[in-house]
């Protein structure tokens, strides 16, 4: 692989491509991301930190973090509701193919269908049944497992990255072979074996043979896309870097898709690892006040993974076979065209024709590299229906770049002005009050700086008294700085989300003081959130779930889930429908309170439905028995209060003696009535 071999030339070309995109990203984006990270974590940029003196305030009001966390929580509630309802659906085709229906009934339902049977009436139901099976299978694949993160957890990281840096990245679905740790009984143990039966069990990782879709979020710092495009769909390539331990590298060497011999040779050359800290990694680790920035990385290897187009010639040089590059039908077509031109074909003629046909084409491929010149994997992309397995979500898209802007960038000026006002307010408060100037020559006291209440100074003459001390009053001006702080908070609300959305407990004045006004404010808030949800549906949910559908159609071995269907993202549509239905329910509840409609509504069912639409647990509602007990208790309290009021009125009019006599007579009468009832 050294020297001028085709594979080494390919490695050199790819390294030049990666070095170029790394330099361009470092020049244009990494300083911006570091500023966003500092702003989110409440740290000042180095230039501002250098201007702050030792005795000046360093207060940083982390308003940016609050805004990011609030929007993240709201989006998670809308995209992944607590009810567990999926934010996507599989919609079957309205007119399934008759041949597929017949085969489905034969293979899945085990039914013998006559050749002349009319399947059109039952075809939609069969398609719906298959789509439902596909939906359940995909939900199970997206659920959290013992050794993998769930879809919601991965998307939380994608959303958080998008809010902080302007870009969140979801990767997948890729092919992963399921494996699990099992105790295996070794050969040769037991009777007459070389191993004692108690020592013959070994814990090892065993592949189950089942294929699973693999998906994960990608840190923006590990993402190096084609910088010449502004949309991921137009990208020619994407690079992604990872830091792996030596044990991880040895595990890669065991996989059939990697060149194990090359990996092991590289590990022997670099037994202590080859990874060094990137400049941004030093800066990121320096943001943590309690973490020590390491001088370098040890026992770690930096692996670079590339998804993108490569020519057929490059892939052939990398060891990819013609069979992997051309489907059988296309290979047969090339051979037939060659046979029409030559009377006699040899196997070498066919191989040369196929290789020549492949060399002039481009293929979506996956290449892994170690260092600058070592390729450990080069394959054609196994995914059908997917070009690049990366899906990007933007908080605010930058139309001049493939990257975007996050909340810190949008509210950078309000945050900076807010911090400046708070620092100035604290610095001013520290020096506010009375300041003294003392003429030590005019004062006979040994310690003129010892100033306190009742202090007596000694002077030689009257002139010394007039020249000895001078006082100045320095105002704090706190109210002026607080006005600037509130103004900057208002500006931050204007460019992100209002403060009442975070449940701060502060009273919402103006329109928010009435129910209808607050409803109007919440409606305006929902407009912004709807747009974020809609862009997430378009950028992440719809394309990723569609790719997962293609994955199952390509790799699944379950015939019952195979179907012709479309993927429907329900995030924004469900949000709008939920909002409209919730408003209708609340209006219905208000209408049922009118006297003329009293008793005509099933109030408990109506309230339970309102709770469900508001994502509030129905367990908060009392059962019928608990409600009856509550009514009895309320009636007792009301009766007791009424009796106490009557007694107070009687006592005030007739005096306490008459009240006691009346109560005694009432008790006697009640006791007599009780005895009569018991006797009867």
């Amino acid at each position: 692989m050294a020297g001028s071999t085709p594979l080494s030339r390919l490695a050199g070309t790819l390294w030049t491509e990666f070095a170029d995109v790394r330099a361009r990203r470092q020049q244009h984006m990494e300083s911006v991301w570091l500023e966003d990270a500092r702003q989110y974590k409440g740290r000042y940029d180095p230039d501002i930190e250098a201007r702050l003196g030792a005795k000046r305030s360093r207060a940083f009001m982390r308003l940016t973090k609050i805004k990011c966390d609030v929007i993240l929580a709201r989006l998670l509630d809308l995209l992944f509701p607590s009810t567990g309802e999926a934010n996507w659906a599989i919609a079957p085709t309205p007119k399934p193919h008759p041949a597929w229906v017949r085969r489905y009934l034969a293979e899945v339902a085990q039914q013998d269908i006559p050749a002349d049977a009319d399947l059109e009436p039952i075809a939609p139901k069969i398609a719906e049944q298959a789509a439902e099976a596909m939906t359940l299978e995909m939900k199970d694949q997206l659920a959290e497992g013992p050794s993998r993160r769930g879809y919601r957890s991965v998307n939380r990281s994608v959303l958080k990255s998008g809010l902080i840096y302007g870009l969140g990245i979801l990767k997948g679905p890729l092919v992963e072979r399921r494996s699990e740790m099992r105790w295996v009984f070794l050969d040769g143990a037991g009777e007459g074996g070389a191993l004692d039966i108690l020592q013959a069990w070994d814990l090892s990782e065993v592949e189950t043979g089942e294929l699973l879709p693999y998906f994960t979020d990608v840190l923006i710092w590990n993402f190096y896309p084609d910088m010449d495009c502004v949309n991921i769909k137009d990208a020619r390539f994407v690079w992604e870097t990872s830091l792996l331990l030596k044990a991880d590298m040895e595990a890669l060497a065991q996989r059939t898709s990697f060149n194990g011999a090359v990996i092991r040779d590289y590990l022997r050359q670099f037994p202590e690892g080859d990874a060094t800290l990137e400049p941004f990694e030093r800066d990121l680790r320096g943001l943590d006040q309690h973490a020590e920035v390491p001088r370098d990385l040890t026992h770690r290897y930096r692996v670079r993974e590339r998804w993108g187009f490569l020519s057929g010639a490059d892939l052939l040089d990398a060891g990819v076979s013609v069979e992997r590059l051309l489907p059988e039908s296309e290979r047969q077509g090339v051979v037939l065209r060659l046979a029409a031109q030559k009377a006699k074909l040899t196997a070498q003629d066919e191989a040369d024709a196929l290789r020549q046909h492949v060399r002039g084409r481009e293929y979506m491929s996956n290449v892994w590299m170690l260092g600058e010149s070592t390729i450990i994997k080069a394959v054609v992309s196994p995914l059908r229906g997917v070009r690049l397995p990366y899906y990007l979500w933007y908080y605010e898209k930058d139309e001049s770049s493939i990257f975007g802007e996050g909340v810190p960038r949008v509210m950078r000026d309000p945050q900076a002005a807010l911090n400046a006002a708070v620092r100035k307010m604290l610095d001013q408060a520290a020096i506010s009050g009375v300041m003294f100037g003392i003429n030590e020559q005019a004062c006979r006291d040994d310690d003129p700086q010892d100033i306190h209440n009742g202090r007596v100074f000694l002077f030689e003459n009257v002139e010394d008294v007039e020249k000895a001390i001078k006082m100045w009053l320095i105002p704090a001006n706190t109210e002026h700085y607080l006005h600037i702080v509130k103004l900057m908070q208002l500006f931050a609300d204007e460019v992100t989300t209002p403060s009442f959305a975070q449940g701060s407990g502060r009273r919402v004045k103006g329109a928010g003081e009435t129910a209808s006004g607050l409803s109007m404010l919440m409606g305006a808030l929902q407009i912004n959130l709807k747009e974020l949800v809609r862009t997430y549906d378009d950028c992440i949910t719809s394309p990723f779930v569609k790719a997962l559908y293609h994955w199952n159609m390509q790799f699944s071995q379950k015939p019952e889930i195979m179907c012709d269907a479309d993927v429907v993202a329900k995030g924004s549509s469900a949000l709008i429908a939920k909002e409209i239905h919730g408003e209708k329910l609340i209006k219905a509840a208000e209408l049922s309170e009118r006297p003329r409609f009293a008793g005509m509504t099933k109030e408990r069912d109506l309230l339970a439905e309102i709770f469900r639409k508001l994502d509030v647990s129905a367990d908060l509602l009392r059962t019928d028995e608990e409600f009856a007990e509550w009514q009895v208790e309320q009636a007792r309290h009301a009766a007791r209060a009424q009796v106490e009021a009557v007694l107070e009125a009687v006592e005030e009019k007739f005096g306490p003696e008459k009240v006691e006599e009346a109560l005694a007579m009432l008790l006697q009468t009640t006791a007599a009535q009780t005895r009569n009832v018991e006797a009867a």
Side-chain angles (χ1 to χ4, degrees):
M1 296 181 63
S4 58
T5 63
L7 191 59
S8 65
R9 288 196 296 269
L10 173 61
T13 301
L14 295 181
W15 174 257
T16 301
E17 177 187 86
F18 173 77
D20 175 69
V21 70
R22 179 177 62 178
R24 294 172 65 183
R25 198 195 77 167
Q26 183 177 1
Q27 178 183 359
H28 297 290
M29 299 306 304
E30 290 183 7
S31 60
V32 175
W33 294 342
L34 283 169
E35 290 176 353
D36 295 341
R38 293 190 193 99
Q39 186 171 325
Y40 178 80
K41 293 180 70 68
R43 301 292 300 276
Y44 285 108
D45 293 332
D47 57 335
I48 298 178
E49 188 81 27
R51 293 198 302 266
L52 300 179
K55 296 184 179 181
R56 293 183 60 184
S57 172
R58 282 177 165 76
F60 194 113
M61 310 307 293
R62 299 180 66 178
L63 184 60
T64 300
K65 182 182 186 305
I66 295 175
K67 295 294 185 182
C68 289
D69 294 349
V70 169
I71 299 175
L72 175 61
R74 299 282 296 181
L75 289 178
L76 283 174
D77 286 341
L78 296 174
L79 290 167
F80 305 96
S82 58
T83 56
E85 182 182 359
N87 62 342
W88 53 270
I90 300 296
T93 179
K95 292 184 178 181
H97 198 284
W100 169 80
V101 176
R102 186 179 300 277
R103 189 165 182 177
Y104 184 90
L105 292 173
E107 296 184 4
V108 178
Q110 302 293 320
Q111 297 180 9
D112 295 329
I113 307 298
D116 58 347
D118 184 13
L119 301 178
E120 186 174 352
I122 65 171
K125 184 177 181 181
I126 297 299
E128 185 176 345
Q129 180 179 338
E132 180 64 25
M134 174 66 81
T135 301
L136 294 177
E137 177 71 10
M138 292 169 61
K139 285 183 177 180
D140 182 64
Q141 293 168 346
L142 296 176
E144 187 175 354
S147 59
R148 68 178 185 208
R149 297 167 61 195
Y151 185 62
R152 186 184 189 278
S153 174
V154 170
N155 277 270
R156 186 186 187 280
S157 300
V158 174
L159 284 167
K160 187 171 183 179
S161 175
L163 291 173
I164 297 176
Y165 301 108
L167 177 62
I169 306 135
L170 177 64
K171 179 184 180 182
L174 304 178
V175 182
E176 179 184 44
R177 191 173 296 276
R178 173 175 287 181
S179 61
E180 57 185 24
M181 300 301 294
R182 288 183 181 176
W183 286 95
V184 180
F185 189 71
L186 303 178
D187 293 337
E191 300 178 1
L195 296 175
D196 184 87
I197 191 171
L198 297 179
Q199 302 174 350
W201 290 93
D202 182 56
L203 182 64
S204 60
E205 187 174 7
V206 179
E207 291 188 353
T208 62
E210 182 182 359
L211 297 180
L212 284 176
Y214 169 77
F215 54 91
T216 184
D217 62 291
V218 178
L219 294 178
I220 195 171
W221 300 98
N222 297 336
F223 187 65
Y224 297 84
D226 183 358
M227 299 285 286
D228 292 330
C229 66
V230 297
N231 194 308
I232 189 66
K233 296 180 180 179
D234 303 324
R236 191 174 184 275
F237 62 85
V238 166
W239 285 88
E240 180 188 348
T241 63
S242 304
L243 280 176
L244 299 184
L245 298 174
K246 191 171 185 178
D248 300 325
M249 296 300 302
E250 293 172 348
L252 286 183
Q254 299 293 329
R255 295 168 61 174
T256 56
S257 58
F258 287 82
N259 193 329
V262 174
I263 294 176
R264 296 186 189 94
D265 182 61
Y266 193 89
L267 295 181
R268 285 191 292 269
Q269 294 181 40
F270 301 94
E272 301 297 323
D274 69 345
T276 57
L277 278 175
E278 295 283 356
F280 71 83
E281 289 176 323
R282 295 183 182 276
D283 292 331
L284 281 177
R285 300 189 183 203
L287 294 180
D288 191 348
Q289 300 177 358
H290 307 290
E292 181 181 355
V293 180
R295 289 175 295 179
D296 215 334
L297 299 172
T298 56
H299 302 289
R300 285 172 172 81
Y301 298 83
R302 197 176 297 276
V303 181
R304 298 170 180 89
E305 179 185 4
R306 181 190 187 271
W307 287 86
F309 288 104
L310 284 178
S311 68
D314 290 334
L315 290 171
L316 289 174
D317 293 339
V320 180
S321 65
V322 173
E323 289 75 12
R324 292 289 299 168
L325 297 175
L326 285 180
E328 183 178 358
S329 59
E330 194 169 349
R331 294 199 304 271
Q332 292 176 356
V334 173
V335 174
L336 289 176
R337 287 193 296 271
L338 182 62
Q341 299 172 5
K342 288 185 73 172
K344 186 177 181 181
L345 289 179
T346 64
Q348 187 61 42
D349 291 335
E350 294 182 5
D352 292 342
L354 290 174
R355 292 176 68 87
Q356 187 63 32
H357 181 76
V358 165
R359 283 183 176 276
R361 304 176 64 178
E362 280 200 332
Y363 298 88
M364 180 56 62
S365 58
N366 179 223
V367 178
W368 290 53
M369 288 184 62
L370 283 170
E372 299 182 7
S373 59
T374 305
I375 294 178
I376 60 175
K377 176 181 179 180
V379 298
V380 179
S381 173
L383 307 175
R384 300 178 62 181
V386 177
R387 176 177 285 187
L388 291 171
Y390 293 93
Y391 308 93
L392 312 184
W393 176 71
Y394 301 91
Y395 176 74
E396 188 168 306
K397 180 72 171 72
D398 183 356
E399 299 303 330
S400 63
S401 166
I402 196 172
F403 300 105
E405 293 184 340
V407 175
R409 186 60 37 183
V410 172
M411 59 174 294
R412 184 163 180 80
D413 289 340
Q415 177 71 78
L418 173 67
N419 287 336
V422 171
R423 292 199 312 270
K424 183 63 177 176
M425 179 178 65
L426 296 177
D427 290 340
Q428 186 75 14
I431 63 172
S432 62
V434 180
M435 185 171 291
F436 297 89
I438 300 177
N439 185 351
E440 294 184 351
Q441 295 180 353
C443 183
R444 292 174 51 192
D445 198 277
D446 295 334
D447 187 10
Q449 297 185 21
D450 181 18
I451 300 176
H452 55 79
N453 187 28
R455 180 75 162 85
V456 177
F457 291 92
L458 302 177
F459 302 97
E460 294 289 346
N461 49 57
V462 177
E463 293 181 357
D464 291 340
V465 175
E466 296 176 353
K467 299 177 181 179
I469 300 177
K470 189 172 184 179
M471 294 182 296
W472 299 272
L473 181 62
I474 300 178
N477 295 324
T478 304
E479 63 279 1
H480 300 295
Y481 296 119
L482 285 177
H483 178 73
I484 298 176
V485 169
K486 293 178 180 179
L487 185 62
M488 292 304 107
Q489 289 176 331
L490 178 62
F491 288 162
D493 290 350
E494 290 293 329
V495 297
T496 55
T497 56
S499 299
F500 64 81
Q502 67 198 42
S504 60
R506 291 182 294 180
R507 184 180 178 185
V508 184
K509 297 183 179 180
E513 293 182 337
T514 63
S516 59
L518 183 60
S519 176
M520 179 184 65
L521 292 176
M522 293 301 294
L525 169 64
Q526 294 289 69
I527 292 175
N528 185 30
L529 294 176
K530 285 178 190 174
E531 182 60 28
L532 293 177
V533 171
R534 187 176 290 109
T535 57
Y536 203 84
D537 285 346
D538 295 339
C539 299
I540 299 290
T541 304
S542 182
F544 174 79
V545 177
K546 191 172 295 183
L548 183 59
Y549 165 74
H550 290 314
W551 189 99
N552 281 283
M553 294 296 292
Q554 180 180 355
F555 296 106
S556 178
Q557 301 299 315
K558 300 178 180 179
E560 66 272 13
I561 72 172
M562 301 297 171
C563 61
D564 182 10
D566 293 324
V567 175
V568 180
K570 302 191 301 182
S572 57
S573 60
L575 170 62
I576 296 171
K578 178 180 177 181
E579 179 185 352
I580 295 175
H581 190 51
E583 291 177 354
K584 290 181 178 179
L585 286 174
I586 293 175
K587 290 181 179 179
E590 294 175 352
L591 188 64
S592 66
E593 293 179 356
R594 296 184 180 181
R596 62 181 298 186
F597 301 126
M600 299 175 64
T601 306
K602 296 181 179 179
E603 296 181 353
R604 191 179 188 283
D605 294 340
L606 177 61
L607 187 58
E609 182 68 12
I610 294 175
F611 273 35
R612 190 175 70 85
K613 289 300 177 182
L614 296 176
D615 290 336
V616 179
S617 174
D619 295 338
L620 297 177
L621 289 174
R622 291 188 174 94
T623 63
D624 293 337
E625 293 78 8
E626 292 173 341
F627 182 64
E629 293 177 359
W630 178 83
Q631 285 182 316
V632 171
E633 187 66 25
Q634 292 298 310
R636 289 175 179 171
H637 287 305
R640 186 179 298 110
Q642 184 177 5
V643 170
E644 290 176 354
V646 171
L647 289 176
E648 288 179 0
V650 172
E651 182 177 353
E652 183 179 354
K653 185 173 182 180
F654 300 103
E657 294 81 5
K658 295 292 185 181
V659 173
E660 293 179 358
E661 293 177 2
L663 285 175
M665 293 179 60
L666 180 60
L667 290 173
Q668 292 176 0
T669 304
T670 303
Q673 291 176 350
T674 302
R675 287 193 296 271
N676 293 336
V677 170
E678 292 176 350

